[in-house]
Amino acid sequence: MNYKQHIAKKIILPEFSVEEITNNIVPAQEASHGDYSLPCFSFAKALKKSPIAIATEIKDKFTPDKYVSKVEVVAGYVNFFLERNEFIDGFLCDYQKNGTPFASNKPNKKTICIDYSSINIAKPFHIGHLLTTAIGGSLYRIFSHLGYNVVGINHLGDYGTQFGKLISAYKRWGNKEQIEKGGITALTEIYVKFHEEAKNDISLEDEARKYFLDIENGEKEAIELFNWFKALTMLEVEKVYKRLGVVFDSYNGEAFYNDKMQPVIDALENKKLLTVSDGAKVVDLEQFDMPPCLILKSDGASLYATRDLAAAMYRQSEYKFDKNLYVVAYQQNLHFKQVFKVLDLLGHKWADDCMHVPFGMVSLEGGLSMSTREGRVVYLSDVLQTAVDKTLFIIEQKNPNLEKQEKVEIAEKVGVGAVVFMALSTNRIKDLVFSFDRALNFDGETAPYIQYTHTRCRSILNKASLSKTKGDYELEDLTDDDSFAIIKVLSRFDEVVIASANKYEPSILAKYLIDLCQLFNKYYTIHKILGDKAREILTSIVAEAIKKGLSLLLIDAPDKM
Ligand code: ARG
C-alpha cells in the first residue's frame, strides 16, 4: 500500500497530475500535524491563488476513508491523519508475509557497472581512497539489494611512465628481500628516492623512459618486475578490501586496454573527430565549452582518456549496461565530461547512461597534507587499525566482562564500521575532515551509536525469549503516538534505499538510520518494552531494519558490544 499515492489519487486538483501531487506530499514534521502533509505553495503560485484557499479547497473535496481518517488545514498546508490500525495492520502483514520492506527485491534484469576504488599499482592505498571505496562498495550493495545485476570494476592504474621510474629505482637502490618484506611502503620509498635523485641527475628520466618502453614492448624482465609490483600491491590492497567487505567482479585496469584502443582511434578518424594540435591528436570540444580531449601524444602514446573511451566501449559490449557509474573524486569532473561527450560524438546513445559520481576530498584532522612523491602518506590500513585499537580500548572500559576474543571481534566491526560510516554519512560532494574522536563517539551520529542501539534491541529480545512473554497482542497496542512514529519510519525503509540509489548517495540511508535510532532510544527510555508483546515485536523489527540498513553501508551489526 502506497499511502502517498493513495492520498494523491483522492485529491481533486485537476490542473496537476497524480504524480505531481504525490511528489509534493511529505511526512508531517510533527505528530500533532498528522502523518502526511501537502504544502500548497507551488500549486498556489501556478494557479495564482492563495495557498490557504487551495488547501481549503482540497480539504473540502476530500472524503475520508478507512485509510485516511481526518484532514486539516494549517496555514498553506493540508494535513492528513492516517487510520492507525489500518496502517499498522498493512505494515505487519507485509512484513510477516514477504519480509518487506527489508527483503531484497526480485532481479529486475537491469545491469549497472560501478567503477570504484580503482587504485594505482605500486602507490600507497591511502586515506584519499576511502570515499571511492566506501561509496562504490555501498552502492554495489544497495543496487544488488534493489535487484540489479551489478558489475563492480576496479579500473586499476597499472599503466604509465611511473612504472619505468620504479624499475629504474629498483635496479639502483632496491633488492628483492627488502621489497618483498616492505611491500608498497618499500616501493614508495625507492619511488620517492628516484624523484629526489632525478632533481640533480636528468639522465634518470631517460633511463625510466627506456624501461617503460621495455614494458610496452613486452621485454621479459621488465614485464616480470611490473607483474611483481602489481602482485605486491594487490596483496596489501586485498587485505583492506576484505576488512571493508567490498568486492569486485573485474580488475581490468588501464593496461587491459593496450590492444583495445586502435578501434577507438579508427572510429574517431572515420567520424573526422580528430584534429592535430602541437603534434598531438585531440578531439576539439570548443563548441561545448571544454578544452580538447587528448587522444594521442605527439609520440603516439595513448592517454588516460583514450583508455577510458576504450573501457566504456568494452563495458557496453561485454555487460550491456543500463547504467555505467564512475565513483571518482570531483577533480576529474572535466575528464569525465570530456569522455562522455566524445562517446556521444561517436554516436553512442548509451553515452547518456554513463554517469560520473563525484565526491569531495578527505583529510585527517590535525594531519599532514599528503604527497606520494615526497613520502607523506596516511595509509588507509593504518586508519582502520587505529580506529580498531581505540575501539578495543573503549570496549574494555564499557564491557570488561566480555571474553578477550569476543572483544577483538567486536572492536574490528565497530572500529572499521566507524571509519566507513564517517565516510558514508556526509553528503558525498562535501570535503571530509576525518576525526577519530567524532567517528568513535558512541553518542554522536556514528556507526557505534547505531550499532549500540542494535545491541540494545538484541539484549531486550534475548531477555524476552528467556522470559517467553505470553499472550497475543492487539493492533491497538501500537497505536500510541510513540509506537506509531516508529512504525511510520520503519515503513519508509524501502523508499529511503531507493532514494539513496537514485541519487547515488548512501548518506541518505545513513541519516535515516540515525533518525530511527534516535527515535527508538527515546522510546526505550520512556516505555517499558520487556513483557509487552507488541513492543517486543516492534523492537525486533527495529533491530532488523538497523542490521539490514547497516549492511547496505558495508557495516556489521554485532549482537553485543
Ligand atoms: N586510478 C585513477 C586515479 O587514481 C582513478 C580511475 C578511475 N576510473 C576510471 N575509469 N578513470 O586517479
Side-chain angles (χ1 to χ4, degrees), residues 115 117-120 129 155-157 254 304 308 311 315 326-328 332 335-336:
D115 179 323
S117 202
S118 299
I119 48 132
N120 298 323
H129 295 105
H155 186 79
L156 297 177
E254 295 184 32
Y304 184 51
D308 259 327
R315 286 173 201 174
Y326 297 84
V327 185
V328 184
Q332 297 194 26
H335 165 75
F336 286 106

mmCIF file of all heavy atoms in Angstrom, residues 115 117-120 129 155-157 254 304 308 311 315 326-328 332 335-336, ligand 1:
data_model
loop_
_atom_site.group_PDB
_atom_site.id
_atom_site.type_symbol
_atom_site.label_atom_id
_atom_site.label_comp_id
_atom_site.label_asym_id
_atom_site.label_seq_id
_atom_site.Cartn_x
_atom_site.Cartn_y
_atom_site.Cartn_z
ATOM 1 N N ASP A 115 32.380 1.578 -11.384
ATOM 2 C CA ASP A 115 33.841 1.696 -11.377
ATOM 3 C C ASP A 115 34.202 2.383 -10.070
ATOM 4 O O ASP A 115 33.799 3.529 -9.841
ATOM 5 C CB ASP A 115 34.225 2.542 -12.603
ATOM 6 C CG ASP A 115 35.716 2.806 -12.785
ATOM 7 O OD1 ASP A 115 36.418 2.997 -11.767
ATOM 8 O OD2 ASP A 115 36.168 2.852 -13.941
ATOM 9 N N SER A 117 37.021 2.527 -6.386
ATOM 10 C CA SER A 117 38.316 2.280 -5.753
ATOM 11 C C SER A 117 39.431 2.519 -6.775
ATOM 12 O O SER A 117 40.238 3.422 -6.608
ATOM 13 C CB SER A 117 38.401 0.892 -5.121
ATOM 14 O OG SER A 117 39.406 0.912 -4.134
ATOM 15 N N SER A 118 39.474 1.715 -7.838
ATOM 16 C CA SER A 118 40.368 1.971 -8.974
ATOM 17 C C SER A 118 41.728 2.561 -8.573
ATOM 18 O O SER A 118 42.086 3.665 -8.966
ATOM 19 C CB SER A 118 39.657 2.882 -9.987
ATOM 20 O OG SER A 118 38.502 2.232 -10.461
ATOM 21 N N ILE A 119 42.442 1.776 -7.803
ATOM 22 C CA ILE A 119 43.722 2.230 -7.232
ATOM 23 C C ILE A 119 44.847 2.183 -8.261
ATOM 24 O O ILE A 119 44.719 1.558 -9.303
ATOM 25 C CB ILE A 119 44.128 1.347 -6.050
ATOM 26 C CG1 ILE A 119 43.995 -0.127 -6.458
ATOM 27 C CG2 ILE A 119 43.296 1.635 -4.844
ATOM 28 C CD1 ILE A 119 45.143 -0.937 -6.141
ATOM 29 N N ASN A 120 45.919 2.839 -7.910
ATOM 30 C CA ASN A 120 47.092 2.835 -8.774
ATOM 31 C C ASN A 120 48.118 1.846 -8.240
ATOM 32 O O ASN A 120 48.426 1.846 -7.043
ATOM 33 C CB ASN A 120 47.678 4.234 -8.846
ATOM 34 C CG ASN A 120 46.681 5.201 -9.460
ATOM 35 O OD1 ASN A 120 45.949 4.840 -10.385
ATOM 36 N ND2 ASN A 120 46.620 6.404 -8.933
ATOM 37 N N HIS A 129 41.608 7.229 -0.693
ATOM 38 C CA HIS A 129 40.821 6.215 -1.393
ATOM 39 C C HIS A 129 39.590 5.775 -0.595
ATOM 40 O O HIS A 129 38.809 4.963 -1.066
ATOM 41 C CB HIS A 129 41.663 4.962 -1.672
ATOM 42 C CG HIS A 129 42.791 5.207 -2.615
ATOM 43 N ND1 HIS A 129 44.100 5.292 -2.208
ATOM 44 C CD2 HIS A 129 42.808 5.411 -3.948
ATOM 45 C CE1 HIS A 129 44.872 5.519 -3.259
ATOM 46 N NE2 HIS A 129 44.111 5.596 -4.324
ATOM 47 N N HIS A 155 39.190 -0.324 -11.893
ATOM 48 C CA HIS A 155 39.930 0.096 -13.098
ATOM 49 C C HIS A 155 41.357 0.458 -12.655
ATOM 50 O O HIS A 155 41.690 1.630 -12.436
ATOM 51 C CB HIS A 155 39.209 1.315 -13.689
ATOM 52 C CG HIS A 155 39.731 1.819 -15.000
ATOM 53 N ND1 HIS A 155 39.433 1.232 -16.198
ATOM 54 C CD2 HIS A 155 40.519 2.884 -15.296
ATOM 55 C CE1 HIS A 155 40.002 1.910 -17.188
ATOM 56 N NE2 HIS A 155 40.676 2.926 -16.658
ATOM 57 N N LEU A 156 42.159 -0.583 -12.502
ATOM 58 C CA LEU A 156 43.494 -0.391 -11.916
ATOM 59 C C LEU A 156 44.352 0.582 -12.725
ATOM 60 O O LEU A 156 44.373 0.526 -13.956
ATOM 61 C CB LEU A 156 44.230 -1.733 -11.862
ATOM 62 C CG LEU A 156 43.630 -2.830 -10.983
ATOM 63 C CD1 LEU A 156 44.449 -4.111 -11.124
ATOM 64 C CD2 LEU A 156 43.583 -2.383 -9.531
ATOM 65 N N GLY A 157 45.056 1.441 -12.002
ATOM 66 C CA GLY A 157 46.044 2.318 -12.656
ATOM 67 C C GLY A 157 47.335 1.523 -12.795
ATOM 68 O O GLY A 157 48.213 1.607 -11.952
ATOM 69 N N GLU A 254 43.881 -0.062 -16.636
ATOM 70 C CA GLU A 254 44.294 0.673 -17.839
ATOM 71 C C GLU A 254 45.071 -0.207 -18.810
ATOM 72 O O GLU A 254 44.879 -0.119 -20.024
ATOM 73 C CB GLU A 254 45.123 1.893 -17.428
ATOM 74 C CG GLU A 254 44.305 2.898 -16.634
ATOM 75 C CD GLU A 254 45.095 4.164 -16.300
ATOM 76 O OE1 GLU A 254 45.954 4.551 -17.118
ATOM 77 O OE2 GLU A 254 44.860 4.740 -15.232
ATOM 78 N N TYR A 304 45.143 8.757 -20.639
ATOM 79 C CA TYR A 304 44.112 8.320 -19.681
ATOM 80 C C TYR A 304 42.736 8.306 -20.334
ATOM 81 O O TYR A 304 41.977 7.335 -20.212
ATOM 82 C CB TYR A 304 44.174 9.294 -18.503
ATOM 83 C CG TYR A 304 43.268 9.015 -17.326
ATOM 84 C CD1 TYR A 304 43.242 7.761 -16.720
ATOM 85 C CD2 TYR A 304 42.468 10.035 -16.795
ATOM 86 C CE1 TYR A 304 42.427 7.536 -15.615
ATOM 87 C CE2 TYR A 304 41.658 9.813 -15.700
ATOM 88 C CZ TYR A 304 41.631 8.564 -15.110
ATOM 89 O OH TYR A 304 40.840 8.355 -14.026
ATOM 90 N N ASP A 308 39.939 5.341 -21.138
ATOM 91 C CA ASP A 308 38.572 5.376 -20.611
ATOM 92 C C ASP A 308 37.542 5.244 -21.733
ATOM 93 O O ASP A 308 36.465 4.665 -21.523
ATOM 94 C CB ASP A 308 38.329 6.646 -19.782
ATOM 95 C CG ASP A 308 38.403 6.344 -18.287
ATOM 96 O OD1 ASP A 308 38.017 5.211 -17.902
ATOM 97 O OD2 ASP A 308 38.854 7.199 -17.511
ATOM 98 N N ALA A 311 37.540 1.637 -22.468
ATOM 99 C CA ALA A 311 36.934 0.908 -21.349
ATOM 100 C C ALA A 311 35.407 1.012 -21.391
ATOM 101 O O ALA A 311 34.700 0.017 -21.190
ATOM 102 C CB ALA A 311 37.460 1.446 -20.021
ATOM 103 N N ARG A 315 32.910 -2.082 -21.779
ATOM 104 C CA ARG A 315 31.859 -2.383 -20.786
ATOM 105 C C ARG A 315 30.500 -2.488 -21.452
ATOM 106 O O ARG A 315 29.692 -3.348 -21.081
ATOM 107 C CB ARG A 315 31.827 -1.291 -19.703
ATOM 108 C CG ARG A 315 33.004 -1.422 -18.753
ATOM 109 C CD ARG A 315 33.107 -0.280 -17.763
ATOM 110 N NE ARG A 315 34.493 -0.228 -17.271
ATOM 111 C CZ ARG A 315 34.975 0.702 -16.477
ATOM 112 N NH1 ARG A 315 34.199 1.679 -16.067
ATOM 113 N NH2 ARG A 315 36.244 0.664 -16.088
ATOM 114 N N TYR A 326 30.895 5.948 -12.479
ATOM 115 C CA TYR A 326 32.304 6.151 -12.131
ATOM 116 C C TYR A 326 32.356 6.892 -10.806
ATOM 117 O O TYR A 326 32.033 8.076 -10.749
ATOM 118 C CB TYR A 326 32.999 7.000 -13.195
ATOM 119 C CG TYR A 326 33.046 6.347 -14.560
ATOM 120 C CD1 TYR A 326 31.973 6.449 -15.439
ATOM 121 C CD2 TYR A 326 34.169 5.630 -14.957
ATOM 122 C CE1 TYR A 326 32.015 5.849 -16.685
ATOM 123 C CE2 TYR A 326 34.214 5.032 -16.208
ATOM 124 C CZ TYR A 326 33.136 5.141 -17.063
ATOM 125 O OH TYR A 326 33.187 4.549 -18.292
ATOM 126 N N VAL A 327 32.731 6.181 -9.754
ATOM 127 C CA VAL A 327 32.805 6.821 -8.443
ATOM 128 C C VAL A 327 34.231 7.355 -8.278
ATOM 129 O O VAL A 327 35.139 6.645 -7.837
ATOM 130 C CB VAL A 327 32.445 5.829 -7.320
ATOM 131 C CG1 VAL A 327 32.403 6.549 -5.969
ATOM 132 C CG2 VAL A 327 31.109 5.155 -7.614
ATOM 133 N N VAL A 328 34.429 8.582 -8.692
ATOM 134 C CA VAL A 328 35.773 9.173 -8.771
ATOM 135 C C VAL A 328 35.705 10.622 -8.271
ATOM 136 O O VAL A 328 34.701 11.318 -8.499
ATOM 137 C CB VAL A 328 36.292 9.151 -10.236
ATOM 138 C CG1 VAL A 328 37.725 9.667 -10.307
ATOM 139 C CG2 VAL A 328 36.218 7.748 -10.837
ATOM 140 N N GLN A 332 38.151 15.074 -11.142
ATOM 141 C CA GLN A 332 38.095 14.520 -12.503
ATOM 142 C C GLN A 332 36.782 14.854 -13.224
ATOM 143 O O GLN A 332 36.443 14.231 -14.228
ATOM 144 C CB GLN A 332 38.349 13.011 -12.459
ATOM 145 C CG GLN A 332 39.745 12.719 -11.928
ATOM 146 C CD GLN A 332 40.211 11.292 -12.165
ATOM 147 O OE1 GLN A 332 39.775 10.622 -13.102
ATOM 148 N NE2 GLN A 332 41.107 10.824 -11.313
ATOM 149 N N HIS A 335 37.433 15.595 -16.879
ATOM 150 C CA HIS A 335 37.816 14.387 -17.611
ATOM 151 C C HIS A 335 36.583 13.588 -18.030
ATOM 152 O O HIS A 335 36.448 13.203 -19.198
ATOM 153 C CB HIS A 335 38.744 13.534 -16.739
ATOM 154 C CG HIS A 335 38.921 12.125 -17.240
ATOM 155 N ND1 HIS A 335 39.697 11.823 -18.329
ATOM 156 C CD2 HIS A 335 38.389 10.949 -16.818
ATOM 157 C CE1 HIS A 335 39.635 10.512 -18.551
ATOM 158 N NE2 HIS A 335 38.852 9.963 -17.648
ATOM 159 N N PHE A 336 35.671 13.359 -17.093
ATOM 160 C CA PHE A 336 34.513 12.532 -17.433
ATOM 161 C C PHE A 336 33.540 13.265 -18.360
ATOM 162 O O PHE A 336 32.953 12.649 -19.249
ATOM 163 C CB PHE A 336 33.830 11.994 -16.173
ATOM 164 C CG PHE A 336 34.636 10.886 -15.547
ATOM 165 C CD1 PHE A 336 35.350 11.091 -14.383
ATOM 166 C CD2 PHE A 336 34.727 9.650 -16.171
ATOM 167 C CE1 PHE A 336 36.127 10.076 -13.831
ATOM 168 C CE2 PHE A 336 35.501 8.630 -15.631
ATOM 169 C CZ PHE A 336 36.207 8.850 -14.456
HETATM 170 N N1 ARG B 1 43.308 5.449 -10.954
HETATM 171 C C1 ARG B 1 42.642 6.705 -11.107
HETATM 172 C C2 ARG B 1 43.136 7.670 -10.056
HETATM 173 O O1 ARG B 1 43.626 7.265 -9.032
HETATM 174 C C3 ARG B 1 41.151 6.588 -10.952
HETATM 175 C C4 ARG B 1 40.496 5.792 -12.033
HETATM 176 C C5 ARG B 1 39.031 5.991 -12.071
HETATM 177 N N2 ARG B 1 38.381 5.231 -13.077
HETATM 178 C C6 ARG B 1 38.406 5.498 -14.395
HETATM 179 N N3 ARG B 1 37.784 4.676 -15.203
HETATM 180 N N4 ARG B 1 39.032 6.544 -14.868
HETATM 181 O O2 ARG B 1 43.013 8.866 -10.249
#
